[in-house]
Coordinates of all heavy atoms in Angstrom, one line a residue:
M1 N 7.4 1.0 -15.8 CA 8.6 1.0 -15.1 C 8.9 -0.3 -14.3 O 9.7 -1.1 -14.8 CB 8.6 2.3 -14.2 CG 9.7 2.4 -13.2 SD 9.2 2.8 -11.6 CE 9.6 4.3 -11.2
P2 N 8.3 -0.6 -13.2 CA 8.6 -2.0 -12.7 C 8.0 -3.1 -13.6 O 7.0 -2.9 -14.3 CB 7.8 -2.0 -11.4 CG 7.3 -0.6 -11.1 CD 7.2 0.0 -12.5
D3 N 8.7 -4.2 -13.7 CA 8.4 -5.2 -14.6 C 7.3 -6.1 -13.9 O 7.5 -7.3 -13.6 CB 9.6 -6.1 -14.9 CG 9.3 -7.1 -16.0 OD1 8.3 -7.0 -16.7 OD2 10.1 -8.1 -16.0
G4 N 6.1 -5.5 -13.7 CA 5.1 -6.2 -13.0 C 4.3 -7.1 -14.0 O 4.4 -7.0 -15.2
S5 N 3.6 -8.0 -13.4 CA 2.9 -9.0 -14.3 C 1.4 -8.6 -14.5 O 0.6 -9.3 -15.0 CB 2.9 -10.4 -13.6 OG 2.4 -10.2 -12.3
C6 N 1.1 -7.3 -14.1 CA -0.3 -6.8 -14.4 C -0.2 -5.4 -15.0 O 0.8 -4.7 -14.7 CB -1.2 -6.9 -13.2 SG -1.1 -5.5 -12.1
P7 N -1.2 -5.0 -15.7 CA -1.2 -3.7 -16.3 C -1.2 -2.5 -15.3 O -0.7 -1.4 -15.6 CB -2.4 -3.6 -17.2 CG -3.3 -4.8 -16.8 CD -2.4 -5.8 -16.1
H8 N -1.7 -2.7 -14.1 CA -1.8 -1.7 -13.2 C -0.4 -1.3 -12.6 O -0.1 -0.2 -12.4 CB -2.8 -2.1 -12.0 CG -4.1 -2.6 -12.5 ND1 -4.4 -3.9 -12.3 CD2 -5.0 -2.1 -13.3 CE1 -5.6 -4.1 -12.9 NE2 -6.0 -3.0 -13.5
I9 N 0.4 -2.3 -12.4 CA 1.7 -2.1 -11.9 C 2.6 -1.5 -13.0 O 3.3 -0.6 -12.8 CB 2.3 -3.4 -11.3 CG1 1.7 -3.7 -10.0 CG2 3.8 -3.3 -11.1 CD1 2.1 -5.0 -9.3
R10 N 2.4 -2.0 -14.2 CA 3.2 -1.5 -15.3 C 2.8 -0.1 -15.6 O 3.7 0.6 -16.2 CB 2.9 -2.4 -16.6 CG 3.8 -3.7 -16.5 CD 3.9 -4.3 -17.9 NE 2.5 -4.7 -18.4 CZ 2.0 -5.9 -18.2 NH1 2.6 -6.8 -17.5 NH2 0.8 -6.2 -18.7
A11 N 1.6 0.4 -15.3 CA 1.2 1.7 -15.6 C 1.9 2.8 -14.6 O 1.8 4.0 -14.9 CB -0.3 1.9 -15.5
I12 N 2.5 2.3 -13.6 CA 3.1 3.2 -12.6 C 4.4 3.7 -13.1 O 5.3 2.9 -13.3 CB 3.2 2.5 -11.2 CG1 1.8 2.4 -10.6 CG2 4.0 3.4 -10.2 CD1 1.7 1.6 -9.4
T13 N 4.6 5.0 -13.2 CA 5.8 5.5 -13.7 C 6.6 6.1 -12.5 O 7.9 6.1 -12.6 CB 5.6 6.6 -14.7 OG1 4.7 7.6 -14.2 CG2 5.0 6.0 -16.0
T14 N 5.9 6.6 -11.5 CA 6.6 7.1 -10.3 C 6.0 6.5 -9.1 O 4.8 6.6 -8.9 CB 6.5 8.7 -10.3 OG1 6.9 9.2 -11.5 CG2 7.4 9.3 -9.2
V15 N 6.8 5.9 -8.3 CA 6.3 5.3 -7.1 C 6.1 6.4 -6.0 O 7.0 7.2 -5.7 CB 7.2 4.2 -6.6 CG1 6.7 3.6 -5.2 CG2 7.4 3.1 -7.6
K16 N 4.9 6.4 -5.4 CA 4.6 7.4 -4.4 C 5.2 6.9 -3.1 O 5.1 5.7 -2.7 CB 3.1 7.6 -4.2 CG 2.4 8.3 -5.4 CD 0.9 8.5 -5.0 CE 0.2 9.3 -6.1 NZ 0.1 8.6 -7.4
H17 N 5.8 7.8 -2.3 CA 6.3 7.4 -1.0 C 5.5 8.0 0.1 O 4.7 8.9 -0.1 CB 7.8 7.9 -0.9 CG 8.7 7.2 -1.9 ND1 9.1 5.9 -1.7 CD2 9.1 7.5 -3.1 CE1 9.8 5.5 -2.8 NE2 9.8 6.5 -3.7
A18 N 5.7 7.5 1.3 CA 4.9 8.0 2.5 C 5.2 9.4 2.8 O 6.4 9.8 2.9 CB 5.2 7.1 3.7
K19 N 4.1 10.2 3.0 CA 4.3 11.6 3.5 C 4.6 11.6 5.0 O 5.4 12.4 5.5 CB 3.0 12.4 3.2 CG 2.7 12.5 1.7 CD 1.5 13.5 1.5 CE 1.0 13.4 0.1 NZ 0.0 12.3 -0.1
H20 N 3.9 10.7 5.7 CA 4.1 10.6 7.1 C 4.3 9.1 7.4 O 3.6 8.3 6.9 CB 2.9 11.1 7.9 CG 2.4 12.4 7.5 ND1 3.0 13.6 7.8 CD2 1.3 12.8 6.7 CE1 2.4 14.6 7.2 NE2 1.4 14.2 6.6
R21 N 5.2 8.8 8.4 CA 5.4 7.4 8.7 C 4.4 7.0 9.8 O 4.7 6.7 10.9 CB 6.8 7.2 9.2 CG 7.8 7.3 8.0 CD 9.1 6.6 8.2 NE 8.9 5.2 8.6 CZ 8.5 4.2 7.8 NH1 8.4 4.4 6.5 NH2 8.3 3.0 8.3
Q22 N 3.1 6.9 9.4 CA 2.1 6.5 10.3 C 0.9 6.0 9.4 O 0.7 6.4 8.3 CB 1.6 7.7 11.1 CG 1.0 8.8 10.3 CD 0.7 10.1 11.1 OE1 1.4 10.4 12.1 NE2 -0.4 10.8 10.7
C23 N 0.1 5.2 10.0 CA -1.2 4.8 9.3 C -2.2 5.9 9.6 O -2.5 6.3 10.7 CB -1.7 3.5 9.9 SG -3.4 3.1 9.3
D24 N -2.7 6.4 8.4 CA -3.6 7.6 8.5 C -4.9 7.3 9.3 O -5.5 8.2 9.9 CB -4.0 8.0 7.1 CG -2.8 8.6 6.3 OD1 -1.8 8.9 6.9 OD2 -2.9 8.7 5.1
E25 N -5.3 6.0 9.3 CA -6.5 5.7 10.1 C -6.2 5.2 11.5 O -7.0 5.5 12.4 CB -7.3 4.6 9.3 CG -7.7 5.1 7.9 CD -8.8 4.2 7.3 OE1 -9.7 3.8 8.0 OE2 -8.6 4.0 6.1
C26 N -5.1 4.5 11.7 CA -4.8 4.1 13.1 C -4.6 5.3 14.0 O -5.0 5.2 15.2 CB -3.5 3.2 13.1 SG -3.8 1.5 12.6
V27 N -4.0 6.3 13.5 CA -3.7 7.5 14.4 C -5.0 8.1 14.9 O -5.1 8.6 16.0 CB -2.8 8.6 13.7 CG1 -1.4 8.1 13.5 CG2 -3.4 9.1 12.4
Q28 N -6.1 8.0 14.1 CA -7.3 8.6 14.5 C -8.0 7.8 15.6 O -8.9 8.3 16.3 CB -8.3 8.7 13.3 CG -7.7 9.7 12.3 CD -8.6 9.9 11.1 OE1 -9.8 9.5 11.1 NE2 -8.0 10.4 10.0
I29 N -7.7 6.5 15.6 CA -8.4 5.6 16.6 C -7.4 5.1 17.7 O -7.7 4.2 18.5 CB -9.1 4.4 16.0 CG1 -8.1 3.6 15.1 CG2 -10.3 4.9 15.1 CD1 -8.8 2.3 14.6
A30 N -6.2 5.7 17.7 CA -5.1 5.4 18.6 C -4.8 3.9 18.6 O -4.6 3.2 19.7 CB -5.5 5.8 20.1
A31 N -4.8 3.3 17.4 CA -4.4 1.9 17.3 C -2.9 1.7 16.9 O -2.3 2.7 16.5 CB -5.3 1.3 16.2
Q32 N -2.5 0.5 17.0 CA -1.1 0.2 16.6 C -1.0 -0.4 15.3 O -2.0 -1.1 14.8 CB -0.5 -0.8 17.7 CG -0.6 -0.3 19.1 CD 0.4 0.8 19.3 OE1 1.6 0.7 19.0 NE2 0.0 1.9 19.9
W33 N 0.1 -0.3 14.6 CA 0.3 -1.0 13.3 C 1.6 -1.7 13.3 O 2.5 -1.4 14.2 CB 0.1 0.0 12.2 CG 1.1 1.1 12.2 CD1 2.4 1.1 11.7 CD2 0.9 2.4 12.8 NE1 3.0 2.3 12.0 CE2 2.1 3.1 12.6 CE3 -0.2 3.0 13.4 CZ2 2.3 4.4 13.0 CZ3 0.0 4.3 13.8 CH2 1.2 5.0 13.6
V34 N 1.8 -2.6 12.3 CA 3.1 -3.3 12.2 C 3.9 -2.7 11.1 O 5.0 -2.3 11.3 CB 2.8 -4.8 12.0 CG1 4.1 -5.6 11.9 CG2 2.0 -5.4 13.2
H35 N 3.4 -2.8 9.9 CA 4.1 -2.2 8.7 C 3.2 -1.3 8.0 O 2.0 -1.3 8.1 CB 4.5 -3.4 7.7 CG 5.5 -4.3 8.4 ND1 5.2 -5.7 8.4 CD2 6.6 -4.1 9.0 CE1 6.2 -6.3 9.0 NE2 7.1 -5.4 9.4
L36 N 3.8 -0.4 7.2 CA 3.0 0.6 6.4 C 3.1 0.3 4.9 O 4.1 -0.1 4.4 CB 3.5 2.0 6.8 CG 3.3 2.4 8.2 CD1 4.1 3.7 8.5 CD2 1.9 2.5 8.6
R37 N 2.0 0.7 4.3 CA 1.8 0.6 2.8 C 1.3 1.9 2.3 O 0.5 2.5 3.0 CB 0.8 -0.6 2.5 CG 1.1 -1.9 3.2 CD 2.4 -2.5 2.6 NE 2.6 -3.8 3.2 CZ 3.7 -4.1 3.9 NH1 4.7 -3.2 4.0 NH2 3.9 -5.3 4.3
I38 N 1.7 2.2 1.1 CA 1.2 3.5 0.5 C 0.3 3.2 -0.7 O 0.7 2.5 -1.6 CB 2.4 4.3 0.0 CG1 3.5 4.5 1.1 CG2 1.9 5.7 -0.5 CD1 4.8 4.2 0.6
C39 N -0.9 3.7 -0.7 CA -1.8 3.6 -1.8 C -1.2 4.4 -3.0 O -0.9 5.6 -2.9 CB -3.2 4.1 -1.5 SG -4.3 4.1 -2.9
Q40 N -1.0 3.7 -4.1 CA -0.4 4.3 -5.3 C -1.4 5.2 -6.1 O -1.0 5.8 -7.1 CB 0.3 3.3 -6.2 CG 1.5 2.7 -5.4 CD 2.6 3.7 -5.0 OE1 3.2 4.3 -5.9 NE2 2.8 3.9 -3.7
E41 N -2.6 5.2 -5.8 CA -3.6 6.0 -6.5 C -3.8 7.3 -5.8 O -3.9 8.4 -6.4 CB -4.9 5.3 -6.7 CG -4.6 4.1 -7.7 CD -5.9 3.5 -8.3 OE1 -6.8 4.3 -8.6 OE2 -5.9 2.3 -8.4
C42 N -3.9 7.3 -4.4 CA -4.1 8.6 -3.7 C -3.0 9.0 -2.8 O -3.0 10.0 -2.2 CB -5.5 8.5 -3.0 SG -5.5 7.2 -1.7
G43 N -2.0 8.1 -2.7 CA -0.8 8.5 -1.9 C -0.9 8.5 -0.4 O 0.0 9.0 0.3
T44 N -2.0 7.9 0.1 CA -2.2 7.8 1.5 C -1.5 6.6 2.1 O -1.2 5.6 1.4 CB -3.7 7.8 1.9 OG1 -4.3 6.7 1.1 CG2 -4.3 9.1 1.5
T45 N -1.2 6.6 3.4 CA -0.4 5.5 4.0 C -1.4 4.8 5.0 O -2.1 5.4 5.8 CB 0.7 6.2 4.8 OG1 1.5 7.0 3.9 CG2 1.7 5.1 5.4
R46 N -1.3 3.5 4.9 CA -2.2 2.7 5.8 C -1.4 1.4 6.2 O -0.4 1.1 5.7 CB -3.5 2.3 5.2 CG -4.4 3.5 5.1 CD -5.7 3.1 4.5 NE -6.7 4.2 4.5 CZ -6.6 5.3 3.6 NH1 -5.7 5.3 2.7 NH2 -7.5 6.3 3.7
C47 N -2.0 0.7 7.2 CA -1.2 -0.5 7.8 C -1.5 -1.8 7.0 O -2.5 -2.0 6.3 CB -1.6 -0.6 9.2 SG -3.4 -0.7 9.6
C48 N -0.5 -2.7 7.2 CA -0.5 -3.9 6.4 C -1.4 -5.0 7.1 O -2.0 -4.8 8.1 CB 0.9 -4.5 6.4 SG 1.4 -5.1 8.1
D49 N -1.4 -6.2 6.5 CA -2.3 -7.3 6.9 C -1.8 -7.9 8.2 O -2.5 -8.7 8.8 CB -2.4 -8.3 5.9 CG -3.4 -7.9 4.8 OD1 -4.0 -6.8 4.9 OD2 -3.6 -8.6 3.8
D50 N -0.5 -7.6 8.6 CA -0.1 -8.1 9.9 C -0.6 -7.2 11.1 O -0.4 -7.6 12.2 CB 1.5 -8.1 10.0 CG 2.0 -9.2 9.0 OD1 1.3 -10.2 8.7 OD2 3.2 -9.0 8.5
S51 N -1.1 -6.1 10.7 CA -1.6 -5.1 11.7 C -3.0 -5.5 12.1 O -3.8 -6.1 11.3 CB -1.6 -3.7 11.1 OG -0.3 -3.4 10.6
P52 N -3.5 -5.2 13.3 CA -4.8 -5.6 13.7 C -5.9 -5.0 12.8 O -6.9 -5.7 12.7 CB -4.9 -5.0 15.1 CG -3.5 -4.7 15.6 CD -2.7 -4.5 14.4
N53 N -5.8 -3.9 12.3 CA -6.9 -3.2 11.6 C -6.8 -3.4 10.0 O -7.8 -3.1 9.4 CB -7.0 -1.8 12.0 CG -7.4 -1.6 13.4 OD1 -8.5 -1.9 13.8 ND2 -6.5 -1.2 14.3
R54 N -5.7 -3.8 9.5 CA -5.5 -4.0 8.1 C -6.1 -2.9 7.2 O -6.9 -3.2 6.3 CB -6.2 -5.4 7.7 CG -5.6 -6.5 8.5 CD -6.3 -7.8 8.1 NE -5.6 -8.9 8.8 CZ -5.8 -10.2 8.4 NH1 -6.6 -10.5 7.4 NH2 -5.2 -11.2 9.1
H55 N -5.7 -1.7 7.5 CA -6.4 -0.6 6.8 C -6.0 -0.5 5.3 O -6.8 0.0 4.6 CB -6.0 0.7 7.5 CG -6.7 0.9 8.8 ND1 -6.1 1.3 10.0 CD2 -8.1 0.9 9.1 CE1 -7.1 1.4 11.0 NE2 -8.2 1.1 10.4
A56 N -4.8 -0.9 5.0 CA -4.5 -0.8 3.5 C -5.4 -1.7 2.7 O -5.9 -1.3 1.6 CB -3.0 -1.2 3.3
T57 N -5.6 -2.9 3.2 CA -6.5 -3.8 2.4 C -8.0 -3.3 2.4 O -8.6 -3.4 1.4 CB -6.4 -5.2 3.0 OG1 -5.1 -5.7 2.9 CG2 -7.4 -6.2 2.4
E58 N -8.4 -2.8 3.6 CA -9.7 -2.3 3.7 C -9.9 -1.1 2.7 O -10.9 -1.0 2.0 CB -10.0 -1.8 5.1 CG -11.4 -1.3 5.3 CD -11.7 -0.8 6.7 OE1 -11.1 0.3 7.0 OE2 -12.4 -1.4 7.4
H59 N -8.9 -0.2 2.7 CA -8.9 0.9 1.8 C -9.0 0.5 0.3 O -9.8 1.0 -0.5 CB -7.7 1.8 2.0 CG -7.5 2.9 1.0 ND1 -8.3 4.0 1.0 CD2 -6.7 3.1 -0.1 CE1 -8.0 4.8 0.0 NE2 -7.0 4.3 -0.7
A60 N -8.2 -0.5 -0.1 CA -8.2 -1.0 -1.4 C -9.6 -1.6 -1.8 O -10.1 -1.4 -2.9 CB -7.2 -2.1 -1.6
R61 N -10.2 -2.3 -0.8 CA -11.6 -2.9 -1.1 C -12.6 -1.8 -1.2 O -13.4 -1.8 -2.1 CB -11.9 -3.8 0.1 CG -13.1 -4.7 -0.1 CD -13.1 -5.8 0.9 NE -12.9 -5.3 2.3 CZ -13.9 -4.8 3.0 NH1 -15.1 -4.7 2.5 NH2 -13.7 -4.4 4.2
L62 N -12.6 -0.8 -0.3 CA -13.7 0.2 -0.3 C -13.5 1.2 -1.4 O -14.4 1.7 -2.0 CB -13.7 0.9 1.0 CG -14.0 0.1 2.2 CD1 -13.9 0.9 3.5 CD2 -15.4 -0.5 2.1
S63 N -12.2 1.6 -1.7 CA -12.0 2.7 -2.7 C -11.8 2.2 -4.1 O -11.8 2.9 -5.0 CB -10.8 3.5 -2.3 OG -9.6 2.6 -2.4
K64 N -11.5 0.8 -4.2 CA -11.2 0.2 -5.5 C -9.8 0.7 -6.0 O -9.5 0.6 -7.2 CB -12.2 0.5 -6.6 CG -13.6 0.0 -6.2 CD -13.8 -1.5 -6.4 CE -15.3 -1.9 -6.4 NZ -15.9 -1.8 -5.1
H65 N -9.0 1.3 -5.1 CA -7.6 1.6 -5.5 C -6.8 0.3 -5.4 O -7.0 -0.5 -4.5 CB -7.1 2.6 -4.4 CG -7.7 4.0 -4.6 ND1 -7.4 5.0 -3.7 CD2 -8.5 4.4 -5.5 CE1 -8.1 6.1 -4.0 NE2 -8.8 5.8 -5.1
R66 N -6.1 0.0 -6.5 CA -5.6 -1.3 -6.7 C -4.1 -1.6 -6.2 O -3.9 -2.6 -5.7 CB -5.6 -1.6 -8.2 CG -7.1 -1.8 -8.6 CD -7.1 -2.0 -10.1 NE -6.9 -0.7 -10.8 CZ -7.7 -0.3 -11.8 NH1 -8.7 -1.0 -12.2 NH2 -7.4 0.9 -12.4
V67 N -3.3 -0.6 -6.4 CA -1.8 -0.9 -6.2 C -1.3 -0.2 -4.9 O -1.6 1.0 -4.7 CB -1.0 -0.5 -7.4 CG1 0.5 -0.8 -7.2 CG2 -1.5 -1.2 -8.6
I68 N -0.6 -0.9 -4.1 CA 0.1 -0.4 -2.9 C 1.6 -0.6 -3.1 O 2.1 -1.5 -3.8 CB -0.3 -1.0 -1.6 CG1 -0.1 -2.5 -1.7 CG2 -1.7 -0.6 -1.2 CD1 -0.2 -3.2 -0.3
A69 N 2.4 0.2 -2.4 CA 3.8 0.0 -2.3 C 4.2 -0.2 -0.8 O 3.5 0.4 0.1 CB 4.6 1.2 -2.8
S70 N 5.2 -0.9 -0.5 CA 5.7 -0.9 0.9 C 6.3 0.4 1.3 O 7.0 1.0 0.5 CB 6.8 -2.0 1.0 OG 7.3 -2.0 2.4
A71 N 6.0 0.8 2.5 CA 6.7 2.0 3.1 C 7.8 1.7 4.0 O 8.4 2.5 4.6 CB 5.6 2.8 3.8
E72 N 8.2 0.4 4.1 CA 9.2 0.0 5.0 C 10.6 0.3 4.4 O 10.8 0.1 3.2 CB 9.1 -1.5 5.3 CG 7.8 -1.9 6.0 CD 7.6 -1.1 7.2 OE1 8.5 -1.1 8.1 OE2 6.5 -0.5 7.4
P73 N 11.5 0.8 5.2 CA 12.9 1.1 4.7 C 13.5 -0.1 4.1 O 13.5 -1.2 4.7 CB 13.6 1.5 6.0 CG 12.6 1.9 7.0 CD 11.4 1.1 6.7
G74 N 14.1 0.0 3.0 CA 14.8 -1.1 2.3 C 13.9 -2.0 1.5 O 14.4 -2.9 0.8
E75 N 12.6 -1.8 1.6 CA 11.7 -2.6 0.8 C 11.3 -1.8 -0.4 O 10.8 -0.7 -0.3 CB 10.5 -3.1 1.6 CG 10.8 -4.0 2.7 CD 9.6 -4.6 3.4 OE1 8.4 -4.3 2.9 OE2 9.7 -5.3 4.4
R76 N 11.4 -2.4 -1.6 CA 11.0 -1.7 -2.8 C 10.2 -2.6 -3.6 O 10.6 -3.3 -4.6 CB 12.3 -1.3 -3.6 CG 13.1 -0.2 -2.9 CD 14.5 0.0 -3.6 NE 14.3 0.5 -4.9 CZ 14.2 1.8 -5.3 NH1 14.2 2.7 -4.4 NH2 14.0 2.1 -6.5
W77 N 8.9 -2.7 -3.3 CA 8.0 -3.5 -4.0 C 6.6 -2.9 -4.1 O 6.2 -2.1 -3.3 CB 7.9 -4.9 -3.5 CG 7.6 -5.1 -2.0 CD1 8.5 -5.3 -1.0 CD2 6.3 -5.0 -1.4 NE1 7.8 -5.4 0.2 CE2 6.5 -5.2 0.0 CE3 5.0 -4.8 -1.9 CZ2 5.4 -5.3 0.9 CZ3 4.0 -4.8 -1.0 CH2 4.2 -5.0 0.4
L78 N 5.9 -3.3 -5.2 CA 4.5 -2.9 -5.4 C 3.6 -4.2 -5.4 O 4.1 -5.3 -5.8 CB 4.4 -2.3 -6.8 CG 5.2 -1.0 -7.0 CD1 5.4 -0.7 -8.5 CD2 4.6 0.2 -6.3
Y79 N 2.4 -4.0 -5.0 CA 1.4 -5.1 -5.0 C 0.1 -4.6 -5.6 O -0.4 -3.6 -5.2 CB 1.3 -5.6 -3.6 CG 0.3 -6.8 -3.5 CD1 0.7 -8.1 -3.9 CD2 -1.0 -6.6 -3.0 CE1 -0.2 -9.1 -3.9 CE2 -1.9 -7.6 -2.9 CZ -1.5 -8.9 -3.4 OH -2.4 -9.9 -3.3
C80 N -0.5 -5.4 -6.4 CA -1.8 -5.1 -7.0 C -2.8 -6.1 -6.4 O -2.7 -7.3 -6.5 CB -1.8 -5.3 -8.5 SG -3.4 -5.1 -9.3
Y81 N -3.8 -5.6 -5.7 CA -4.8 -6.4 -5.1 C -5.6 -7.3 -6.0 O -5.7 -8.5 -5.8 CB -5.8 -5.6 -4.2 CG -5.1 -5.2 -2.9 CD1 -4.6 -3.9 -2.7 CD2 -5.1 -6.1 -1.8 CE1 -4.1 -3.5 -1.5 CE2 -4.5 -5.7 -0.6 CZ -4.0 -4.4 -0.5 OH -3.4 -4.0 0.7
P82 N -6.3 -6.7 -7.0 CA -7.2 -7.6 -7.9 C -6.4 -8.7 -8.6 O -6.9 -9.7 -8.8 CB -7.9 -6.6 -8.8 CG -7.1 -5.3 -8.7 CD -6.5 -5.3 -7.4
D83 N -5.2 -8.4 -9.0 CA -4.4 -9.4 -9.8 C -3.5 -10.2 -8.9 O -2.8 -11.1 -9.3 CB -3.6 -8.7 -10.8 CG -4.4 -8.0 -11.9 OD1 -5.3 -8.7 -12.4 OD2 -4.3 -6.8 -12.2
E84 N -3.4 -9.8 -7.6 CA -2.4 -10.5 -6.7 C -1.0 -10.5 -7.3 O -0.3 -11.5 -7.2 CB -2.9 -11.9 -6.3 CG -4.2 -11.8 -5.5 CD -4.7 -13.2 -5.1 OE1 -3.9 -14.1 -5.1 OE2 -5.9 -13.3 -4.7
A85 N -0.7 -9.4 -7.9 CA 0.6 -9.3 -8.6 C 1.6 -8.5 -7.8 O 1.2 -7.5 -7.1 CB 0.4 -8.6 -10.0
F86 N 2.8 -9.0 -7.8 CA 3.9 -8.4 -6.9 C 5.0 -8.1 -7.8 O 5.4 -8.9 -8.7 CB 4.2 -9.5 -5.9 CG 5.3 -9.1 -5.0 CD1 5.0 -8.5 -3.8 CD2 6.6 -9.5 -5.2 CE1 6.1 -8.1 -2.9 CE2 7.6 -9.2 -4.4 CZ 7.4 -8.5 -3.2
A87 N 5.6 -6.9 -7.6 CA 6.8 -6.6 -8.4 C 7.8 -5.7 -7.6 O 7.4 -4.8 -6.9 CB 6.4 -5.8 -9.7
E88 N 9.0 -6.0 -7.8 CA 10.1 -5.2 -7.2 C 10.4 -4.1 -8.2 O 10.3 -4.2 -9.4 CB 11.3 -6.0 -6.8 CG 10.9 -7.0 -5.7 CD 12.1 -7.6 -5.0 OE1 13.2 -7.8 -5.6 OE2 12.0 -7.9 -3.8
Y89 N 10.9 -3.0 -7.6 CA 11.3 -1.9 -8.5 C 12.6 -1.3 -8.1 O 13.2 -1.7 -7.1 CB 10.2 -0.8 -8.5 CG 10.0 0.0 -7.2 CD1 10.8 1.1 -6.9 CD2 9.1 -0.5 -6.3 CE1 10.6 1.8 -5.7 CE2 8.9 0.1 -5.1 CZ 9.7 1.3 -4.8 OH 9.5 1.9 -3.6
Ligands
ZN10 ZN1 -3.3 -5.2 -11.5
ZN11 ZN1 -4.1 1.2 10.3
ZN12 ZN1 -6.1 5.1 -2.3

């Protein structure tokens, strides 16, 4: 579907959206976040690299889940960590 430059982004047929507008890990430790990203493999929501805890990147590293989408209103893009590939949809 999105014209991504890597097979992981190209394999996504339906973009997962945020179930809750919160970082699933920050809420447990009462931390703040800046922007939210959604893991496209498990559908969980975590915070971006501008946030103090960078949970989305940590989740990608620990879980080997590769592709995230922005959860920000008006942003429609996907990002693949291992390929550093970015695609709008
Ligand atoms: Zn990829
Ligand atoms: Zn977080
Ligand atoms: Zn995940």
Side-chain angles (χ1 to χ4, degrees):
M1 170 230 250
D3 185 21
S5 54
C6 85
H8 313 115
I9 288 177
R10 280 197 297 270
I12 290 173
T13 52
T14 308
V15 177
K16 292 183 173 69
H17 295 284
K19 296 188 193 83
H20 310 286
R21 292 204 47 80
Q22 62 185 34
C23 171
D24 293 347
E25 296 194 43
C26 281
V27 291
Q28 294 179 20
I29 57 172
Q32 302 288 312
W33 60 84
V34 180
H35 298 124
L36 294 171
R37 309 292 182 235
I38 310 131
C39 176
Q40 293 300 297
E41 292 195 39
C42 61
T44 53
T45 308
R46 287 182 176 78
C47 54
C48 71
D49 283 355
D50 293 332
S51 308
N53 293 292
R54 302 181 176 192
H55 284 130
T57 296
E58 184 185 70
H59 172 71
R61 190 166 49 81
L62 295 177
S63 67
K64 305 279 195 292
H65 292 172
R66 290 174 284 230
V67 181
I68 55 164
S70 175
E72 297 306 307
E75 290 187 8
R76 293 170 61 86
W77 54 257
L78 299 162
Y79 179 76
C80 174
Y81 282 101
D83 293 310
E84 297 182 16
F86 179 87
E88 296 198 325
Y89 65 90

